[in-house]
Amino acid sequence: MDVSFAAVRNDDRKLVRTLKFEGNREISNGMLKTVTRTQTNREIFGIPGATLWRSLNAISSRLGEPPRYLDREMVGRDIERLKAFYHANGFFYTEVDTSITEFSPGRVRVTFHITEGPPSFIR
């Protein structure tokens, strides 16, 4: 895991609670999540807020997984990763933008807005 926690100041720490992709039709959300380094903590049975692994880490740093904090530089690099991924899959005119919304104190939603453009085909 190459998440940089040093780039985030203590007073600016905001948990990434939701990661969304909008506008993607040809490539699934699951595939796009493997491309981005910005991630949320794993949830139990997909229940929002049920992050047992993060809770275990609060007890002991050797258990569970550390909290996934927002790193704006990482989000910027994720935009470039997504563009490169689409380009490698034949979508040469893809545009990617992002929005970060704080929906409760210390918790944010990161949304990647994707305009895929037409796919390219080789004849």
Side-chain angles (χ1 to χ4, degrees), residues 12-57:
D12 288 339
R13 287 191 169 188
K14 297 182 187 324
L15 282 173
V16 177
R17 292 297 300 136
T18 310
L19 183 63
K20 291 179 63 178
F21 300 93
E22 293 181 349
N24 56 311
R25 289 185 203 92
E26 298 294 324
I27 299 178
S28 70
N29 290 348
M31 182 63 72
L32 295 177
K33 282 183 181 181
T34 66
V35 175
T36 60
R37 299 292 179 262
T38 301
Q39 297 290 322
T40 61
N41 285 99
R42 291 180 290 164
E43 297 173 336
I44 300 171
F45 303 118
I47 301 170
T51 55
L52 173 67
W53 315 119
R54 184 172 55 91
S55 301
L56 286 173
N57 187 263

